[in-house]
Amino acid sequence: MSSGRVATLLKQFVSRTQLGRAATGWTSQCSAQVGTSRSFMTQGSRVMAAAEAPSTSGRLPAFWHQIRRSAWTDSKGYTHFDSSRGSWFSFGPRAQYALGAGVFGFGVYYWSSLETVPFTGRRHAILFVSRKGEQELGKHLFEQQCLEARMEGRLLPAHHPYTQVVRKIGARLADVAAQGVGAGSQEHMKGLNWEYAVIDSAVPNAFVVPGGKVVVFTGLIKMLASEAELAAVMAHETAHVLARHHAERMSTLNLWAIARFLSYALFGIGLPNSALYLGIFLPYSRRAEYEADEIGLQLMASACYDPSAAVSMLQKLHHKEQAMEAQSRMSVPGFMRTHPLTDTRVDKVKKDLAQAYKTYSESNCGVVQGFLDVFM
């Protein structure tokens, strides 16, 4: 073979070898890029799954991670994808079973927690609130209020006439409430340690905390003219305890906390507390006041206090409120009040007087006098 022919063959061999190496290098680069792309896709999928799944820092159960994503893994390790539903509402079997059991369990708990309010017959559920915890909270609040008033020199002593009349009326109403009048659920009334305190303050107000702890301000006592009118106020406060309005309000707060958690965990939406205050708390507070007026009428009638004193008491309170608003030049809209407008309360109490007088007659009561002239 000639030297020229050999040179030509050598050149062809070298050229093919370089082309093969270049192709091999290009293929390797493509494979590396594809591998890198797959790696990015895998990491991206993990990031997306992590973004869709709730955080485990709050010690959520394992099934929670099947919620809010469209893929789930069965017991054999196979991954299933659900393309017919959005990722927000795709639940794996374990999550479905757990949620179903949770809904059923809550339904049973809710049903077992239902109580009947005496006199009105309204049904309400007391949720996640124990009687012991309710009473301990009331005791703490009452002691704190008395301590602050004592340190300021505004807590009236036990021998003061105002304190004595408040305790006398309170004991009379508490005895009636403990007798089971009005039917309904009254287990929470057993063994209550009723306590009463009078605080020197110009504000015409009185309030009660859980467990039968009543506080009356001197501004209210001075506004009234008879023991029956003061009894109307204290019967109203006793009615709050009988109807367990405090426990019902705490139950509402507990449910709201659960609703806020679920709304944020499932949908990423935080419910504003203003919605609770304006949409639930204030309307319920006004309804509870109406109910306490109705029950209080029955309690004072059963304790042989003239029910009509509730009307005169509210009328005086209404005039006092008007004077205070005129002085401050401020008027709170009805939907922003914790209590209904007093004039509407007067109208409703007048409608309930017929039933109250029936109770009064059945209790064999005479008209109770007992004016507070000695205190004026």
Side-chain angles (χ1 to χ4, degrees):
M1 183 178 295
S2 64
S3 60
R5 178 63 175 167
V6 171
T8 301
L9 291 176
L10 287 173
K11 288 180 180 180
Q12 291 178 353
F13 175 77
V14 170
S15 177
R16 289 175 181 176
T17 302
Q18 291 176 346
L19 179 63
R21 289 177 179 176
T24 303
W26 178 82
T27 304
S28 300
Q29 292 177 3
C30 289
S31 300
Q33 291 178 357
V34 170
T36 304
S37 176
R38 288 176 179 174
S39 177
F40 285 151
M41 291 174 64
T42 303
Q43 294 177 5
S45 300
R46 290 174 180 175
V47 170
M48 291 177 65
E52 291 181 351
S55 172
T56 58
S57 61
R59 298 182 179 179
L60 297 176
F63 72 82
W64 191 265
H65 302 287
Q66 295 185 25
I67 300 176
R68 297 177 61 184
R69 59 183 188 179
S70 57
W72 56 276
T73 304
D74 61 20
S75 59
K76 296 182 180 180
Y78 293 101
T79 301
H80 302 263
F81 296 91
D82 185 4
S83 59
S84 62
R85 302 176 66 182
S87 61
W88 298 109
F89 302 101
S90 298
F91 301 91
R94 286 180 294 176
Q96 293 175 357
Y97 297 149
L99 290 175
V103 171
F104 176 78
F106 179 78
V108 172
Y109 175 66
Y110 181 89
W111 181 83
S112 64
S113 301
L114 286 173
E115 297 182 359
T116 302
V117 178
F119 291 107
T120 65
R122 182 175 65 89
R123 299 277 284 173
H124 63 170
I126 306 300
L127 304 171
F128 312 109
V129 179
S130 66
R131 295 191 183 106
K132 182 179 179 181
E134 182 184 3
Q135 294 179 14
E136 289 179 351
L137 174 63
K139 181 180 179 182
H140 172 73
L141 294 175
F142 181 76
E143 291 177 349
Q144 183 179 14
Q145 184 71 35
C146 291
L147 178 61
E148 292 177 359
R150 184 180 295 108
M151 293 178 63
E152 296 171 357
R154 298 188 297 113
L155 181 66
L156 299 190
H159 59 79
H160 194 281
Y162 282 173
T163 306
Q164 291 179 353
V165 72
V166 165
R167 289 182 175 179
K168 183 185 74 171
I169 297 173
R172 192 164 159 180
L173 292 168
D175 288 342
V176 171
Q179 293 173 8
V181 294
S185 304
Q186 301 199 24
E187 288 294 321
H188 62 285
M189 298 296 291
K190 295 181 179 179
L192 286 184
N193 180 26
W194 290 85
E195 294 184 77
Y196 305 90
V198 180
I199 295 177
D200 186 15
S201 172
V203 179
N205 192 27
F207 65 88
V208 63
V209 294
K213 317 298 182 184
V214 183
V215 176
V216 182
F217 293 161
T218 57
L220 178 67
I221 299 177
K222 293 177 180 179
M223 185 188 72
L224 305 177
S226 71
E227 185 176 310
E229 289 181 349
L230 182 56
V233 174
M234 299 188 63
H236 174 94
E237 304 304 334
T238 304
H240 281 307
V241 178
L242 183 59
R244 293 197 78 183
H245 286 156
H246 302 98
E248 187 176 2
R249 185 176 300 173
M250 287 188 283
S251 300
T252 302
L253 293 176
N254 291 333
L255 287 179
W256 178 259
I258 295 174
R260 289 194 69 190
F261 169 76
L262 292 178
S263 175
Y264 186 79
L266 295 176
F267 309 106
I269 300 174
L271 299 178
N273 284 328
S274 58
L276 167 67
Y277 188 72
L278 294 176
I280 299 177
F281 178 79
L282 290 179
Y284 168 76
S285 180
R286 292 189 291 268
R287 184 185 65 179
E289 293 302 319
Y290 280 130
E291 190 170 56
D293 285 341
E294 182 179 351
I295 297 174
L297 269 179
Q298 298 296 321
L299 288 176
M300 67 181 300
S302 300
C304 296
Y305 288 106
D306 184 3
S308 64
V311 177
S312 59
M313 179 273 294
L314 287 173
Q315 288 173 338
K316 291 177 180 178
L317 182 61
H318 178 55
H319 295 322
K320 184 68 173 179
E321 289 175 349
Q322 287 182 322
M324 293 174 65
E325 289 180 357
Q327 184 178 3
S328 63
R329 297 181 180 179
M330 293 181 60
S331 180
V332 181
F335 72 93
M336 289 290 293
R337 294 173 180 259
T338 58
H339 287 56
L341 296 173
T342 308
D343 54 349
T344 60
R345 292 175 65 186
V346 171
D347 294 337
K348 189 177 184 305
V349 167
K350 287 181 178 179
K351 294 179 181 178
D352 296 334
L353 276 180
Q355 182 61 39
Y357 272 117
K358 181 180 179 181
T359 301
Y360 184 80
S361 176
E362 292 174 352
S363 301
N364 298 320
C365 299
V367 178
V368 178
Q369 300 295 327
F371 286 90
L372 300 179
D373 295 336
V374 65
F375 306 134
M376 306 306 293

